[in-house]
Amino acid sequence: MVNSGKYIKKLRELTDSSGNILLVCHVNPDGDAIGSMLAFWHYLSSTGKIVNMLSPNYLQEFLLWMNGAENINIYLRNRKKAVRMINEAGLIIFLDFNQPSRLGEAERAIINSPAVKVMIDHHVDPHTFADLIISDTSCCATAELIHEIVTGLNRGPYSSTAYDEALYVGIITDTGNFEHGSFTGNTLRIVASLIDSGVDREKVFSMIYNNFSVDRMRLQGLALYSRMKIIEGTPAACIWLTKEDLINHSYAKGDTEGFVNMPLSIKGISVAALFVEKEGFIKVSLRSHGSFSVNDFAVRYFNGGGHNNAAGGEFYDTLDKALGYFEDSIRNELAGI
Ligand code: 5GP
Ligand code: MN
């Protein structure tokens, strides 16, 4: 991993000198946010430290089974307790995000806390709201970076069933089970060591990917059958879902996860977008194959960010306007590619 060595010493000093550590992941936490937070929590707790975990909002159903997930505090569930935890922390470690807005409603309380702050992340263009920034965009998942950091802190490999499983969840979810994302030989060497240590691949895969409701499958059918548009003259396609579509399919958090990747399987399509109508705004997800940076596109047009091939953002107007705006923007950027 690039440059981790020089950060390990500093991080060790910080974790050794802090009696009370708070790990924080991003709003709408995905498998990597929860996987990397739980893995680091399992490790730090094993060294005898007092460590708490906080998520700005609720976990998706398919992550609740993970060992330690019941110990994650949810800001929206108990703000008072969360604020107390934030104020009592001497060290706050951000996992899997690099912009303060990704803290959702918890942003103010966390950013204003006097604690020393560390960011551990793999997204491009980190904002400088932490005292120590450990950012490595060559890692396919923050979980991969956590593996490197823990190996450094521990002065050698660390393993426990719960820790290994959490890292594995982070890596498979951020690569779509090794289908996309920037995984490397190094990722696979880590995965090999996790499997050698006994991670139950089939169980984890099943808990993550074979856990859908019938409604969710039908929503996927609807998305592909009548909510997908190819932007003619460009290699882009988009899918949209209205609030009504979600209600009609008993939408549960996380149900649209993965939908944005589907158009990339179409011959000639290398950019895909998903627009989901939320309360008061449109959530945008973007994916690409190849050199088109959806991170740059998300920053420029949708007030967002992410990675070169996977990014997201938001749009504050109607769904129709969002789709028209996307089509215009994509034509600007992609016509003739
Ligand atoms: P997803 O499309 O799966 O929600 O997110 C893809 C990637 O883009 C993730 O790495 C996520 O952290 C990032 N991302 C998603 N939405 C936003 C957003 O609104 N702002 C920023 N800065 N990043 C986002
Ligand atoms: Mn991630």
Side-chain angles (χ1 to χ4, degrees):
M1 192 211 65
V2 189
N3 279 339
S4 81
K6 71 174 182 186
Y7 296 116
I8 298 298
K9 193 164 164 263
K10 180 77 190 150
L11 188 58
R12 185 181 292 117
E13 278 166 23
L14 289 173
T15 50
D16 281 353
S17 63
S18 176
N20 192 334
I21 303 172
L22 180 62
L23 307 181
V24 181
C25 66
H26 60 77
V27 71
N28 301 323
D30 56 9
D32 187 31
I34 296 301
S36 53
M37 184 162 74
L38 283 174
F40 209 25
W41 180 75
H42 284 300
Y43 168 70
L44 289 170
S45 303
S46 80
T47 67
K49 302 207 180 345
I50 298 173
V51 193
N52 289 303
M53 295 179 284
L54 180 66
S55 168
N57 64 350
Y58 294 91
L59 269 61
Q60 301 173 59
E61 187 82 25
F62 74 92
L63 297 171
L64 289 175
W65 60 275
M66 292 179 70
N67 188 327
E70 67 284 2
N71 293 303
I72 299 175
N73 295 279
I74 310 292
Y75 185 88
L76 287 191
R77 184 184 292 144
N78 193 338
R79 289 176 178 79
K80 248 191 191 158
K81 184 178 173 198
V83 168
R84 195 169 59 238
M85 214 167 254
I86 292 165
N87 290 335
E88 284 172 0
L91 175 63
I92 298 183
I93 302 180
F94 304 129
L95 294 157
D96 198 38
F97 66 99
N98 67 7
Q99 299 182 2
S101 61
R102 304 281 287 152
L103 286 164
E105 261 195 52
E107 178 177 348
R108 267 224 344 238
I110 291 176
I111 296 304
N112 290 339
S113 107
V116 177
K117 300 180 185 75
V118 174
M119 176 202 299
I120 300 178
D121 182 55
H122 69 136
H123 295 89
V124 294
D125 301 331
H127 291 206
T128 52
F129 61 103
D131 304 288
L132 175 65
I133 295 179
I134 307 180
S135 165
D136 189 343
T137 57
S138 75
C139 289
C140 71
T142 299
E144 181 176 339
L145 187 48
I146 288 291
H147 175 273
E148 305 288 339
I149 287 170
V150 167
T151 306
L153 289 177
N154 194 51
R155 296 188 169 90
Y158 172 79
S159 174
S160 77
T161 304
Y163 169 83
D164 293 346
E165 202 165 80
L167 288 184
Y168 190 73
V169 167
I171 291 172
I172 67 166
T173 52
D174 259 21
T175 62
N177 204 38
F178 309 108
E179 203 178 289
H180 52 73
S182 55
F183 67 90
T184 60
N186 190 49
T187 317
L188 296 181
R189 278 185 284 279
I190 293 169
V191 168
S193 75
L194 297 176
I195 291 172
D196 285 346
S197 299
V199 164
D200 186 341
R201 269 189 316 118
E202 281 179 40
K203 179 194 98 176
V204 176
F205 182 89
S206 221
M207 296 306 268
I208 301 280
Y209 295 108
N210 296 338
N211 233 339
F212 296 136
S213 65
V214 173
D215 270 332
R216 189 269 182 199
M217 292 304 278
R218 295 204 193 285
L219 184 65
Q220 181 171 355
L222 174 80
L224 285 176
Y225 193 68
S226 53
R227 299 281 187 268
M228 184 171 75
K229 181 177 179 183
I230 310 299
I231 315 296
E232 293 302 333
T234 78
C238 66
I239 290 178
W240 66 93
L241 291 166
T242 66
K243 218 182 288 174
E244 203 180 0
D245 293 336
L246 302 183
I247 292 167
N248 289 343
H249 294 83
S250 321
Y251 173 78
K253 216 169 170 34
D255 276 357
T256 57
E257 195 88 11
F259 286 13
V260 62
N261 291 298
M262 297 189 297
L264 291 176
S265 305
I266 301 168
K267 191 173 177 182
I269 295 298
S270 56
V271 179
L274 171 70
F275 295 85
V276 181
E277 192 179 17
K278 303 275 185 188
E279 210 52 63
F281 74 105
I282 310 296
K283 181 70 206 166
V284 187
S285 282
L286 296 155
R287 298 290 185 272
S288 66
H289 283 158
S291 60
F292 182 76
S293 168
V294 285
N295 174 64
D296 293 351
F297 186 77
V299 169
R300 196 167 307 148
Y301 296 101
F302 289 103
N303 194 29
H307 310 278
N308 287 332
N309 295 118
E314 291 171 354
F315 185 80
Y316 286 84
D317 208 322
T318 63
L319 184 55
D320 273 354
K321 289 233 172 80
L323 295 172
Y325 177 68
F326 171 69
E327 195 164 334
D328 292 346
S329 328
I330 211 74
R331 283 190 195 287
N332 263 343
E333 298 288 328
L334 277 178
I337 288 184

PDB file of all heavy atoms in Angstrom, residues 301-334:
ATOM      1  N   TYR A 301     -21.525  18.194 -11.820  1.00  0.00           N
ATOM      2  CA  TYR A 301     -22.954  18.356 -12.114  1.00  0.00           C
ATOM      3  C   TYR A 301     -23.898  17.993 -10.958  1.00  0.00           C
ATOM      4  O   TYR A 301     -25.050  18.393 -10.961  1.00  0.00           O
ATOM      5  CB  TYR A 301     -23.339  17.507 -13.323  1.00  0.00           C
ATOM      6  CG  TYR A 301     -22.655  17.937 -14.605  1.00  0.00           C
ATOM      7  CD1 TYR A 301     -21.553  17.243 -15.100  1.00  0.00           C
ATOM      8  CD2 TYR A 301     -23.117  19.049 -15.311  1.00  0.00           C
ATOM      9  CE1 TYR A 301     -20.926  17.642 -16.276  1.00  0.00           C
ATOM     10  CE2 TYR A 301     -22.493  19.454 -16.482  1.00  0.00           C
ATOM     11  CZ  TYR A 301     -21.406  18.750 -16.966  1.00  0.00           C
ATOM     12  OH  TYR A 301     -20.791  19.159 -18.122  1.00  0.00           O
ATOM     13  N   PHE A 302     -23.421  17.186 -10.013  1.00  0.00           N
ATOM     14  CA  PHE A 302     -24.365  16.699  -9.003  1.00  0.00           C
ATOM     15  C   PHE A 302     -23.881  16.883  -7.562  1.00  0.00           C
ATOM     16  O   PHE A 302     -24.324  16.166  -6.669  1.00  0.00           O
ATOM     17  CB  PHE A 302     -24.728  15.231  -9.275  1.00  0.00           C
ATOM     18  CG  PHE A 302     -25.591  15.060 -10.502  1.00  0.00           C
ATOM     19  CD1 PHE A 302     -25.041  14.598 -11.686  1.00  0.00           C
ATOM     20  CD2 PHE A 302     -26.932  15.396 -10.467  1.00  0.00           C
ATOM     21  CE1 PHE A 302     -25.834  14.459 -12.831  1.00  0.00           C
ATOM     22  CE2 PHE A 302     -27.734  15.261 -11.598  1.00  0.00           C
ATOM     23  CZ  PHE A 302     -27.182  14.798 -12.785  1.00  0.00           C
ATOM     24  N   ASN A 303     -22.975  17.846  -7.376  1.00  0.00           N
ATOM     25  CA  ASN A 303     -22.581  18.212  -6.019  1.00  0.00           C
ATOM     26  C   ASN A 303     -22.158  16.998  -5.197  1.00  0.00           C
ATOM     27  O   ASN A 303     -22.461  16.892  -4.012  1.00  0.00           O
ATOM     28  CB  ASN A 303     -23.800  18.893  -5.345  1.00  0.00           C
ATOM     29  CG  ASN A 303     -23.406  19.598  -4.080  1.00  0.00           C
ATOM     30  OD1 ASN A 303     -22.257  20.045  -3.962  1.00  0.00           O
ATOM     31  ND2 ASN A 303     -24.310  19.675  -3.133  1.00  0.00           N
ATOM     32  N   GLY A 304     -21.462  16.067  -5.851  1.00  0.00           N
ATOM     33  CA  GLY A 304     -21.110  14.828  -5.160  1.00  0.00           C
ATOM     34  C   GLY A 304     -19.654  14.488  -5.303  1.00  0.00           C
ATOM     35  O   GLY A 304     -18.790  15.361  -5.363  1.00  0.00           O
ATOM     36  N   GLY A 305     -19.370  13.191  -5.354  1.00  0.00           N
ATOM     37  CA  GLY A 305     -17.988  12.727  -5.460  1.00  0.00           C
ATOM     38  C   GLY A 305     -17.949  11.216  -5.413  1.00  0.00           C
ATOM     39  O   GLY A 305     -18.971  10.558  -5.601  1.00  0.00           O
ATOM     40  N   GLY A 306     -16.775  10.672  -5.130  1.00  0.00           N
ATOM     41  CA  GLY A 306     -16.627   9.214  -5.054  1.00  0.00           C
ATOM     42  C   GLY A 306     -15.324   8.777  -5.657  1.00  0.00           C
ATOM     43  O   GLY A 306     -14.271   9.314  -5.319  1.00  0.00           O
ATOM     44  N   HIS A 307     -15.403   7.822  -6.576  1.00  0.00           N
ATOM     45  CA  HIS A 307     -14.209   7.287  -7.246  1.00  0.00           C
ATOM     46  C   HIS A 307     -14.339   7.540  -8.747  1.00  0.00           C
ATOM     47  O   HIS A 307     -15.398   7.899  -9.232  1.00  0.00           O
ATOM     48  CB  HIS A 307     -14.104   5.777  -7.046  1.00  0.00           C
ATOM     49  CG  HIS A 307     -14.233   5.343  -5.630  1.00  0.00           C
ATOM     50  ND1 HIS A 307     -13.193   5.383  -4.741  1.00  0.00           N
ATOM     51  CD2 HIS A 307     -15.295   4.868  -4.938  1.00  0.00           C
ATOM     52  CE1 HIS A 307     -13.596   4.947  -3.582  1.00  0.00           C
ATOM     53  NE2 HIS A 307     -14.873   4.624  -3.662  1.00  0.00           N
ATOM     54  N   ASN A 308     -13.258   7.243  -9.476  1.00  0.00           N
ATOM     55  CA  ASN A 308     -13.322   7.483 -10.922  1.00  0.00           C
ATOM     56  C   ASN A 308     -14.402   6.641 -11.611  1.00  0.00           C
ATOM     57  O   ASN A 308     -15.023   7.092 -12.564  1.00  0.00           O
ATOM     58  CB  ASN A 308     -11.955   7.208 -11.567  1.00  0.00           C
ATOM     59  CG  ASN A 308     -10.977   8.321 -11.225  1.00  0.00           C
ATOM     60  OD1 ASN A 308     -11.404   9.467 -10.998  1.00  0.00           O
ATOM     61  ND2 ASN A 308      -9.706   8.001 -11.145  1.00  0.00           N
ATOM     62  N   ASN A 309     -14.622   5.418 -11.129  1.00  0.00           N
ATOM     63  CA  ASN A 309     -15.613   4.556 -11.778  1.00  0.00           C
ATOM     64  C   ASN A 309     -16.888   4.318 -10.961  1.00  0.00           C
ATOM     65  O   ASN A 309     -17.759   3.549 -11.380  1.00  0.00           O
ATOM     66  CB  ASN A 309     -14.977   3.198 -12.148  1.00  0.00           C
ATOM     67  CG  ASN A 309     -13.887   3.340 -13.197  1.00  0.00           C
ATOM     68  OD1 ASN A 309     -12.741   3.021 -12.953  1.00  0.00           O
ATOM     69  ND2 ASN A 309     -14.231   3.849 -14.365  1.00  0.00           N
ATOM     70  N   ALA A 310     -16.974   4.930  -9.809  1.00  0.00           N
ATOM     71  CA  ALA A 310     -18.201   4.791  -8.984  1.00  0.00           C
ATOM     72  C   ALA A 310     -18.344   6.044  -8.142  1.00  0.00           C
ATOM     73  O   ALA A 310     -17.471   6.351  -7.336  1.00  0.00           O
ATOM     74  CB  ALA A 310     -18.108   3.563  -8.076  1.00  0.00           C
ATOM     75  N   ALA A 311     -19.420   6.758  -8.353  1.00  0.00           N
ATOM     76  CA  ALA A 311     -19.589   8.009  -7.608  1.00  0.00           C
ATOM     77  C   ALA A 311     -21.074   8.259  -7.388  1.00  0.00           C
ATOM     78  O   ALA A 311     -21.928   7.502  -7.860  1.00  0.00           O
ATOM     79  CB  ALA A 311     -18.950   9.167  -8.367  1.00  0.00           C
ATOM     80  N   GLY A 312     -21.368   9.316  -6.664  1.00  0.00           N
ATOM     81  CA  GLY A 312     -22.766   9.635  -6.411  1.00  0.00           C
ATOM     82  C   GLY A 312     -22.919  11.109  -6.115  1.00  0.00           C
ATOM     83  O   GLY A 312     -21.936  11.842  -5.954  1.00  0.00           O
ATOM     84  N   GLY A 313     -24.164  11.533  -6.057  1.00  0.00           N
ATOM     85  CA  GLY A 313     -24.430  12.931  -5.755  1.00  0.00           C
ATOM     86  C   GLY A 313     -25.908  13.130  -5.506  1.00  0.00           C
ATOM     87  O   GLY A 313     -26.671  12.165  -5.316  1.00  0.00           O
ATOM     88  N   GLU A 314     -26.308  14.390  -5.510  1.00  0.00           N
ATOM     89  CA  GLU A 314     -27.707  14.721  -5.217  1.00  0.00           C
ATOM     90  C   GLU A 314     -28.188  15.803  -6.169  1.00  0.00           C
ATOM     91  O   GLU A 314     -27.389  16.570  -6.713  1.00  0.00           O
ATOM     92  CB  GLU A 314     -27.814  15.216  -3.765  1.00  0.00           C
ATOM     93  CG  GLU A 314     -27.558  14.110  -2.772  1.00  0.00           C
ATOM     94  CD  GLU A 314     -27.438  14.586  -1.337  1.00  0.00           C
ATOM     95  OE1 GLU A 314     -27.437  15.807  -1.111  1.00  0.00           O
ATOM     96  OE2 GLU A 314     -27.340  13.719  -0.466  1.00  0.00           O
ATOM     97  N   PHE A 315     -29.518  15.844  -6.362  1.00  0.00           N
ATOM     98  CA  PHE A 315     -30.102  16.846  -7.251  1.00  0.00           C
ATOM     99  C   PHE A 315     -31.358  17.368  -6.575  1.00  0.00           C
ATOM    100  O   PHE A 315     -32.231  16.575  -6.183  1.00  0.00           O
ATOM    101  CB  PHE A 315     -30.434  16.201  -8.608  1.00  0.00           C
ATOM    102  CG  PHE A 315     -30.927  17.165  -9.647  1.00  0.00           C
ATOM    103  CD1 PHE A 315     -30.042  17.964 -10.372  1.00  0.00           C
ATOM    104  CD2 PHE A 315     -32.293  17.282  -9.909  1.00  0.00           C
ATOM    105  CE1 PHE A 315     -30.501  18.850 -11.336  1.00  0.00           C
ATOM    106  CE2 PHE A 315     -32.759  18.170 -10.876  1.00  0.00           C
ATOM    107  CZ  PHE A 315     -31.867  18.950 -11.590  1.00  0.00           C
ATOM    108  N   TYR A 316     -31.446  18.702  -6.414  1.00  0.00           N
ATOM    109  CA  TYR A 316     -32.560  19.272  -5.664  1.00  0.00           C
ATOM    110  C   TYR A 316     -33.606  19.888  -6.576  1.00  0.00           C
ATOM    111  O   TYR A 316     -33.734  21.092  -6.682  1.00  0.00           O
ATOM    112  CB  TYR A 316     -32.027  20.273  -4.623  1.00  0.00           C
ATOM    113  CG  TYR A 316     -31.384  19.536  -3.475  1.00  0.00           C
ATOM    114  CD1 TYR A 316     -30.067  19.109  -3.558  1.00  0.00           C
ATOM    115  CD2 TYR A 316     -32.115  19.197  -2.334  1.00  0.00           C
ATOM    116  CE1 TYR A 316     -29.483  18.388  -2.527  1.00  0.00           C
ATOM    117  CE2 TYR A 316     -31.543  18.477  -1.296  1.00  0.00           C
ATOM    118  CZ  TYR A 316     -30.228  18.075  -1.405  1.00  0.00           C
ATOM    119  OH  TYR A 316     -29.655  17.345  -0.390  1.00  0.00           O
ATOM    120  N   ASP A 317     -34.317  19.035  -7.296  1.00  0.00           N
ATOM    121  CA  ASP A 317     -35.465  19.465  -8.099  1.00  0.00           C
ATOM    122  C   ASP A 317     -36.244  18.194  -8.427  1.00  0.00           C
ATOM    123  O   ASP A 317     -36.019  17.164  -7.803  1.00  0.00           O
ATOM    124  CB  ASP A 317     -34.984  20.221  -9.351  1.00  0.00           C
ATOM    125  CG  ASP A 317     -36.034  21.233  -9.832  1.00  0.00           C
ATOM    126  OD1 ASP A 317     -37.229  20.903  -9.748  1.00  0.00           O
ATOM    127  OD2 ASP A 317     -35.665  22.320 -10.295  1.00  0.00           O
ATOM    128  N   THR A 318     -37.113  18.245  -9.437  1.00  0.00           N
ATOM    129  CA  THR A 318     -37.937  17.064  -9.713  1.00  0.00           C
ATOM    130  C   THR A 318     -37.125  15.981 -10.435  1.00  0.00           C
ATOM    131  O   THR A 318     -36.061  16.252 -11.006  1.00  0.00           O
ATOM    132  CB  THR A 318     -39.114  17.441 -10.630  1.00  0.00           C
ATOM    133  OG1 THR A 318     -38.561  17.894 -11.874  1.00  0.00           O
ATOM    134  CG2 THR A 318     -39.982  18.517 -10.006  1.00  0.00           C
ATOM    135  N   LEU A 319     -37.686  14.782 -10.432  1.00  0.00           N
ATOM    136  CA  LEU A 319     -37.043  13.667 -11.123  1.00  0.00           C
ATOM    137  C   LEU A 319     -36.933  13.962 -12.621  1.00  0.00           C
ATOM    138  O   LEU A 319     -35.889  13.719 -13.242  1.00  0.00           O
ATOM    139  CB  LEU A 319     -37.856  12.385 -10.873  1.00  0.00           C
ATOM    140  CG  LEU A 319     -37.306  11.081 -11.428  1.00  0.00           C
ATOM    141  CD1 LEU A 319     -35.886  10.819 -10.948  1.00  0.00           C
ATOM    142  CD2 LEU A 319     -38.208   9.910 -11.023  1.00  0.00           C
ATOM    143  N   ASP A 320     -38.006  14.497 -13.199  1.00  0.00           N
ATOM    144  CA  ASP A 320     -37.978  14.827 -14.635  1.00  0.00           C
ATOM    145  C   ASP A 320     -36.845  15.777 -14.963  1.00  0.00           C
ATOM    146  O   ASP A 320     -36.121  15.593 -15.946  1.00  0.00           O
ATOM    147  CB  ASP A 320     -39.298  15.502 -15.046  1.00  0.00           C
ATOM    148  CG  ASP A 320     -40.328  14.456 -15.424  1.00  0.00           C
ATOM    149  OD1 ASP A 320     -39.944  13.259 -15.472  1.00  0.00           O
ATOM    150  OD2 ASP A 320     -41.500  14.826 -15.645  1.00  0.00           O
ATOM    151  N   LYS A 321     -36.693  16.806 -14.121  1.00  0.00           N
ATOM    152  CA  LYS A 321     -35.624  17.784 -14.348  1.00  0.00           C
ATOM    153  C   LYS A 321     -34.259  17.111 -14.228  1.00  0.00           C
ATOM    154  O   LYS A 321     -33.338  17.399 -14.997  1.00  0.00           O
ATOM    155  CB  LYS A 321     -35.738  18.940 -13.352  1.00  0.00           C
ATOM    156  CG  LYS A 321     -36.927  19.860 -13.610  1.00  0.00           C
ATOM    157  CD  LYS A 321     -36.455  21.320 -13.693  1.00  0.00           C
ATOM    158  CE  LYS A 321     -37.562  22.251 -14.132  1.00  0.00           C
ATOM    159  NZ  LYS A 321     -38.476  22.616 -13.032  1.00  0.00           N
ATOM    160  N   ALA A 322     -34.147  16.226 -13.245  1.00  0.00           N
ATOM    161  CA  ALA A 322     -32.866  15.529 -13.039  1.00  0.00           C
ATOM    162  C   ALA A 322     -32.495  14.733 -14.282  1.00  0.00           C
ATOM    163  O   ALA A 322     -31.340  14.747 -14.731  1.00  0.00           O
ATOM    164  CB  ALA A 322     -32.955  14.603 -11.829  1.00  0.00           C
ATOM    165  N   LEU A 323     -33.498  14.049 -14.862  1.00  0.00           N
ATOM    166  CA  LEU A 323     -33.219  13.211 -16.040  1.00  0.00           C
ATOM    167  C   LEU A 323     -32.842  14.071 -17.241  1.00  0.00           C
ATOM    168  O   LEU A 323     -31.906  13.743 -17.989  1.00  0.00           O
ATOM    169  CB  LEU A 323     -34.438  12.331 -16.351  1.00  0.00           C
ATOM    170  CG  LEU A 323     -34.770  11.295 -15.262  1.00  0.00           C
ATOM    171  CD1 LEU A 323     -36.099  10.599 -15.545  1.00  0.00           C
ATOM    172  CD2 LEU A 323     -33.655  10.267 -15.130  1.00  0.00           C
ATOM    173  N   GLY A 324     -33.554  15.177 -17.412  1.00  0.00           N
ATOM    174  CA  GLY A 324     -33.235  16.087 -18.519  1.00  0.00           C
ATOM    175  C   GLY A 324     -31.846  16.687 -18.346  1.00  0.00           C
ATOM    176  O   GLY A 324     -31.055  16.754 -19.298  1.00  0.00           O
ATOM    177  N   TYR A 325     -31.543  17.072 -17.122  1.00  0.00           N
ATOM    178  CA  TYR A 325     -30.247  17.673 -16.805  1.00  0.00           C
ATOM    179  C   TYR A 325     -29.122  16.659 -17.037  1.00  0.00           C
ATOM    180  O   TYR A 325     -28.065  16.982 -17.582  1.00  0.00           O
ATOM    181  CB  TYR A 325     -30.286  18.115 -15.345  1.00  0.00           C
ATOM    182  CG  TYR A 325     -29.015  18.701 -14.794  1.00  0.00           C
ATOM    183  CD1 TYR A 325     -28.524  19.930 -15.235  1.00  0.00           C
ATOM    184  CD2 TYR A 325     -28.307  18.039 -13.778  1.00  0.00           C
ATOM    185  CE1 TYR A 325     -27.365  20.479 -14.695  1.00  0.00           C
ATOM    186  CE2 TYR A 325     -27.152  18.576 -13.234  1.00  0.00           C
ATOM    187  CZ  TYR A 325     -26.688  19.798 -13.695  1.00  0.00           C
ATOM    188  OH  TYR A 325     -25.540  20.331 -13.155  1.00  0.00           O
ATOM    189  N   PHE A 326     -29.388  15.402 -16.654  1.00  0.00           N
ATOM    190  CA  PHE A 326     -28.388  14.355 -16.870  1.00  0.00           C
ATOM    191  C   PHE A 326     -28.118  14.181 -18.355  1.00  0.00           C
ATOM    192  O   PHE A 326     -26.969  14.122 -18.807  1.00  0.00           O
ATOM    193  CB  PHE A 326     -28.860  13.033 -16.254  1.00  0.00           C
ATOM    194  CG  PHE A 326     -27.982  11.859 -16.612  1.00  0.00           C
ATOM    195  CD1 PHE A 326     -26.700  11.761 -16.102  1.00  0.00           C
ATOM    196  CD2 PHE A 326     -28.437  10.859 -17.479  1.00  0.00           C
ATOM    197  CE1 PHE A 326     -25.864  10.695 -16.435  1.00  0.00           C
ATOM    198  CE2 PHE A 326     -27.620   9.789 -17.816  1.00  0.00           C
ATOM    199  CZ  PHE A 326     -26.329   9.705 -17.291  1.00  0.00           C
ATOM    200  N   GLU A 327     -29.209  14.116 -19.123  1.00  0.00           N
ATOM    201  CA  GLU A 327     -29.051  13.883 -20.557  1.00  0.00           C
ATOM    202  C   GLU A 327     -28.241  15.020 -21.194  1.00  0.00           C
ATOM    203  O   GLU A 327     -27.306  14.772 -21.969  1.00  0.00           O
ATOM    204  CB  GLU A 327     -30.441  13.762 -21.204  1.00  0.00           C
ATOM    205  CG  GLU A 327     -30.361  13.179 -22.574  1.00  0.00           C
ATOM    206  CD  GLU A 327     -31.707  12.672 -23.116  1.00  0.00           C
ATOM    207  OE1 GLU A 327     -32.590  12.310 -22.313  1.00  0.00           O
ATOM    208  OE2 GLU A 327     -31.845  12.648 -24.345  1.00  0.00           O
ATOM    209  N   ASP A 328     -28.577  16.261 -20.836  1.00  0.00           N
ATOM    210  CA  ASP A 328     -27.837  17.409 -21.381  1.00  0.00           C
ATOM    211  C   ASP A 328     -26.369  17.361 -20.967  1.00  0.00           C
ATOM    212  O   ASP A 328     -25.469  17.556 -21.780  1.00  0.00           O
ATOM    213  CB  ASP A 328     -28.438  18.737 -20.879  1.00  0.00           C
ATOM    214  CG  ASP A 328     -29.821  18.977 -21.463  1.00  0.00           C
ATOM    215  OD1 ASP A 328     -30.179  18.277 -22.442  1.00  0.00           O
ATOM    216  OD2 ASP A 328     -30.551  19.830 -20.923  1.00  0.00           O
ATOM    217  N   SER A 329     -26.147  17.088 -19.674  1.00  0.00           N
ATOM    218  CA  SER A 329     -24.761  17.098 -19.158  1.00  0.00           C
ATOM    219  C   SER A 329     -23.944  15.988 -19.800  1.00  0.00           C
ATOM    220  O   SER A 329     -22.780  16.179 -20.148  1.00  0.00           O
ATOM    221  CB  SER A 329     -24.721  16.907 -17.651  1.00  0.00           C
ATOM    222  OG  SER A 329     -25.822  17.439 -17.025  1.00  0.00           O
ATOM    223  N   ILE A 330     -24.575  14.823 -19.946  1.00  0.00           N
ATOM    224  CA  ILE A 330     -23.826  13.694 -20.487  1.00  0.00           C
ATOM    225  C   ILE A 330     -23.516  13.950 -21.970  1.00  0.00           C
ATOM    226  O   ILE A 330     -22.453  13.580 -22.460  1.00  0.00           O
ATOM    227  CB  ILE A 330     -24.573  12.364 -20.242  1.00  0.00           C
ATOM    228  CG1 ILE A 330     -23.582  11.224 -20.071  1.00  0.00           C
ATOM    229  CG2 ILE A 330     -25.534  11.992 -21.341  1.00  0.00           C
ATOM    230  CD1 ILE A 330     -22.863  11.188 -18.794  1.00  0.00           C
ATOM    231  N   ARG A 331     -24.436  14.596 -22.664  1.00  0.00           N
ATOM    232  CA  ARG A 331     -24.163  14.928 -24.078  1.00  0.00           C
ATOM    233  C   ARG A 331     -23.000  15.911 -24.158  1.00  0.00           C
ATOM    234  O   ARG A 331     -22.140  15.790 -25.015  1.00  0.00           O
ATOM    235  CB  ARG A 331     -25.404  15.520 -24.746  1.00  0.00           C
ATOM    236  CG  ARG A 331     -26.418  14.474 -25.108  1.00  0.00           C
ATOM    237  CD  ARG A 331     -27.525  15.034 -25.992  1.00  0.00           C
ATOM    238  NE  ARG A 331     -28.628  14.103 -26.026  1.00  0.00           N
ATOM    239  CZ  ARG A 331     -28.615  12.940 -26.677  1.00  0.00           C
ATOM    240  NH1 ARG A 331     -27.543  12.587 -27.374  1.00  0.00           N
ATOM    241  NH2 ARG A 331     -29.654  12.129 -26.640  1.00  0.00           N
ATOM    242  N   ASN A 332     -22.987  16.888 -23.252  1.00  0.00           N
ATOM    243  CA  ASN A 332     -21.867  17.829 -23.178  1.00  0.00           C
ATOM    244  C   ASN A 332     -20.544  17.117 -23.059  1.00  0.00           C
ATOM    245  O   ASN A 332     -19.565  17.448 -23.709  1.00  0.00           O
ATOM    246  CB  ASN A 332     -21.973  18.679 -21.891  1.00  0.00           C
ATOM    247  CG  ASN A 332     -22.620  19.991 -22.154  1.00  0.00           C
ATOM    248  OD1 ASN A 332     -22.713  20.401 -23.299  1.00  0.00           O
ATOM    249  ND2 ASN A 332     -23.055  20.638 -21.082  1.00  0.00           N
ATOM    250  N   GLU A 333     -20.527  16.119 -22.168  1.00  0.00           N
ATOM    251  CA  GLU A 333     -19.269  15.475 -21.811  1.00  0.00           C
ATOM    252  C   GLU A 333     -18.904  14.321 -22.741  1.00  0.00           C
ATOM    253  O   GLU A 333     -17.731  14.022 -22.915  1.00  0.00           O
ATOM    254  CB  GLU A 333     -19.367  14.905 -20.384  1.00  0.00           C
ATOM    255  CG  GLU A 333     -19.611  15.947 -19.321  1.00  0.00           C
ATOM    256  CD  GLU A 333     -18.367  16.820 -19.057  1.00  0.00           C
ATOM    257  OE1 GLU A 333     -17.240  16.305 -19.186  1.00  0.00           O
ATOM    258  OE2 GLU A 333     -18.540  18.000 -18.711  1.00  0.00           O
ATOM    259  N   LEU A 334     -19.931  13.672 -23.266  1.00  0.00           N
ATOM    260  CA  LEU A 334     -19.672  12.376 -23.909  1.00  0.00           C
ATOM    261  C   LEU A 334     -19.990  12.294 -25.389  1.00  0.00           C
ATOM    262  O   LEU A 334     -19.657  11.280 -26.012  1.00  0.00           O
ATOM    263  CB  LEU A 334     -20.504  11.289 -23.218  1.00  0.00           C
ATOM    264  CG  LEU A 334     -19.921  10.708 -21.941  1.00  0.00           C
ATOM    265  CD1 LEU A 334     -20.883   9.689 -21.376  1.00  0.00           C
ATOM    266  CD2 LEU A 334     -18.588  10.061 -22.216  1.00  0.00           C
TER     267      LEU A 334
END
